[in-house]
Amino acid sequence: MQLLNRSFLAVAVVAFYSLPAFALGSGAFANQAGVSTKATAHGYAFAGVADDPSAIFYNPAGLAQVKGWQIMVGGSILALKTEHITPTGIKDKTASNLPIAPYFYLTGAPSNSPWTFGIGVNSPFGLVTEWKNDSFSSYWATKSQVYMYAVNPTAAYALSEKLSLGAGVDYFNIYNVELNQRVPGLPASPEGDGKFSGDGAGWGYNFGALWKPVEKHSFGLSYRSKVNVKVKGDTELSGVTGALSLLYLGGASSYKTGASTKMKFPQSLLLGYGFHPNSKWTVFADYEWFNWSRNKETKFDYDQNNALLTQSVPREWRNSNNVGVGTEWKAKDWLDLRCGALVYEAVVPSKTLESSLPDSSRFDLTIGVGFHLGNSNIDFAYNSIFFNNRNIDNNAGNSFSSMDGKFKTMINIFSVGLSHKWG
């Protein structure tokens, strides 16, 4: 029963923390590809400029620059692939999934008022990873699917032409979790299936400042608080027969109990800089810090507890420091060209790395184009994330699913966005 718990109860919550397993954007675990197509194209660096509705996410103080009524919608398609090579040379790849990360912003500024108000809805975290049922990972994690959205009401106030402040509330809703894996059978026993499903919600806050001391330079600061989400759901086994059923389930073919855990999203600090050498060029630079080290372990609570169930799983994650830079060139009155680059630090140490979260340090290249059509804009972006290969030799899996070997990951992201303004 200890093995069963480790391969579907404990791992279920491990995968909860895998929400941002294929990290995007200027934060190591921030899925900013689902935040703004325009910012994606210039390296996700935007906090020091923040002059469109996506300022709600990057720096709420920048919203004071967004006049009239404006709307922005869009999203990204993520093509991601991870390969694992065992020490003996056996290769496994994740299934080809194409998750979509959408976003929506609506802002409004009363006439002749220093106030601007807005609301954003996006998906700053998310995960779909799927290993085959006969892969090295099958008894640890097969399909790990987590869907969430965040709602962020925001207000900004222009103290002067040079300084503005902003603040907002963050509501995180983890609304669909499905975590599956195979359950190893004893000799002469068929294999079964394990599944965890659950949901939860939590609250946080954010604030920011934007300062333009001179015409060509601007500086931004944005802080987001930690958000704790209590995830409640059910853990169940099905299709269990033979000796496994007799020894551990009293002859039953299924088992189900309520389970819960707490997800700890970290606080973060984002510093941004914008440089406008002339009317044609803008240069962006962001530095972001994430406080992931607060995740020392994952603790579990069960409706039907017993000594055979794992009570906690070690994490020992590390804080991350991440840098993004980019540029935008106004080639024509109707055309913008953009590019950028980012570097990320790995958060998960080698000793706790496992297949539902193949984290690694990485490098990101981004390009994009924007078209101006009167009061409307259409933006396109593409970026590639190159993960450094990770050679692992640890005890993070179990006796049936060793994590030892090499992890190789690559992500391609395609984004499109539309915006329109009135007044």
Side-chain angles (χ1 to χ4, degrees):
M1 193 66 174
Q2 177 69 28
L3 171 61
L4 299 183
N5 174 71
R6 187 175 300 169
S7 57
F8 80 98
L9 289 174
V11 174
V13 184
V14 171
F16 275 127
Y17 286 96
S18 308
L19 299 179
F22 298 102
L24 316 168
S26 63
F29 280 80
N31 181 21
Q32 293 175 7
V35 172
S36 167
T37 300
K38 178 181 174 181
T40 294
H42 44 68
Y44 299 93
F46 197 47
V49 177
D51 58 357
D52 71 25
S54 67
I56 290 173
F57 179 86
Y58 283 98
N59 183 355
L63 205 62
Q65 307 171 96
V66 183
K67 301 304 180 181
W69 285 90
Q70 298 196 30
I71 188 171
M72 176 182 283
V73 297
S76 298
I77 298 177
L78 286 65
L80 48 90
K81 180 70 70 175
T82 295
E83 180 181 63
H84 178 268
I85 306 172
T86 69
T88 59
I90 299 174
K91 296 182 179 181
D92 287 300
K93 294 182 179 180
T94 53
S96 296
N97 289 299
L98 296 172
I100 298 175
Y103 61 84
F104 167 84
Y105 303 99
L106 178 64
T107 65
S111 299
N112 301 317
S113 171
W115 287 97
T116 304
F117 302 93
I119 188 168
V121 182
N122 51 41
S123 183
F125 299 93
L127 169 69
V128 179
T129 57
E130 187 172 359
W131 297 93
K132 294 180 180 179
N133 283 342
D134 60 354
S135 74
F136 81 101
S137 179
S138 60
Y139 300 125
W140 181 259
T142 53
K143 186 176 183 180
S144 302
Q145 175 178 290
V146 179
Y147 293 124
M148 69 88 67
Y149 63 85
V151 181
N152 187 187
T154 303
Y157 185 84
L159 295 172
S160 67
E161 292 183 358
K162 294 184 176 182
L163 180 64
S164 60
L165 302 175
V169 175
D170 292 307
Y171 171 72
F172 282 15
N173 189 304
I174 312 297
Y175 66 89
N176 187 351
V177 175
E178 182 180 332
L179 306 169
N180 301 304
Q181 46 71 225
R182 300 288 287 160
V183 177
L186 298 176
S189 297
E191 296 179 335
D193 293 289
K195 178 180 179 180
F196 180 95
S197 57
D199 53 45
W203 294 86
Y205 63 89
N206 65 91
F207 60 81
L210 185 68
W211 179 44
K212 300 178 181 180
V214 294
E215 182 179 354
K216 294 183 178 182
H217 302 274
S218 58
F219 300 86
L221 178 149
S222 180
Y223 172 82
R224 287 187 178 273
S225 74
K226 65 182 181 181
V227 178
N228 293 330
V229 178
K230 186 173 184 179
V231 178
K232 300 180 67 176
D234 295 309
T235 298
E236 59 183 309
L237 289 170
S238 62
V240 181
T241 60
L244 193 65
S245 170
L246 293 173
L247 288 173
Y248 298 113
L249 303 181
S253 62
S254 62
Y255 171 83
K256 184 175 182 179
T257 184
S260 66
T261 188
K262 182 182 290 185
M263 293 179 55
K264 299 178 181 179
F265 292 96
Q267 62 179 333
S268 65
L269 180 67
L270 179 60
L271 303 177
Y273 169 66
F275 176 49
H276 311 270
N278 53 51
S279 61
K280 294 287 187 180
W281 287 91
T282 304
V283 178
F284 309 82
D286 276 10
Y287 161 78
E288 192 164 26
W289 171 81
F290 270 100
N291 182 213
W292 283 108
S293 64
R294 64 192 295 259
N295 288 285
K296 303 297 184 183
E297 64 177 340
T298 300
K299 295 183 178 181
F300 305 89
D301 292 305
Y302 304 99
D303 290 349
Q304 301 177 30
N305 203 352
N306 64 64
L308 296 177
L309 297 176
T310 299
Q311 304 303 305
S312 68
V313 173
R315 290 286 166 263
E316 301 184 37
W317 287 3
R318 301 179 294 219
N319 294 337
S320 65
N321 299 275
N322 315 287
V323 177
V325 296
T327 187
E328 179 179 273
W329 175 44
K330 192 174 185 61
K332 302 287 185 180
D333 289 341
W334 52 271
L335 176 65
D336 295 331
L337 301 178
R338 305 167 181 132
C339 66
L342 306 92
V343 290
Y344 319 87
E345 288 186 329
V347 169
V348 181
S350 295
K351 61 184 177 182
T352 61
L353 188 80
E354 40 75 32
S355 56
S356 70
L357 184 46
D359 180 47
S360 177
S361 58
R362 44 215 180 270
F363 178 71
D364 191 348
L365 293 176
T366 69
I367 59 173
V369 60
F371 298 97
H372 304 286
L373 309 171
N375 288 333
S376 299
N377 300 305
I378 180 168
D379 298 299
F380 298 94
Y382 165 77
N383 64 303
S384 295
I385 302 180
F386 305 90
F387 283 62
N388 290 323
N389 294 342
R390 198 82 183 265
N391 292 301
I392 297 300
D393 182 4
N394 62 21
N395 297 313
N398 55 41
S399 57
F400 291 89
S401 286
S402 170
M403 300 296 115
D404 294 352
K406 179 185 289 186
F407 286 92
K408 301 168 65 176
T409 299
M410 175 71 180
I411 305 179
N412 292 290
I413 304 163
F414 305 88
S415 303
V416 61
L418 302 170
S419 60
H420 184 78
K421 59 183 178 182
W422 299 266

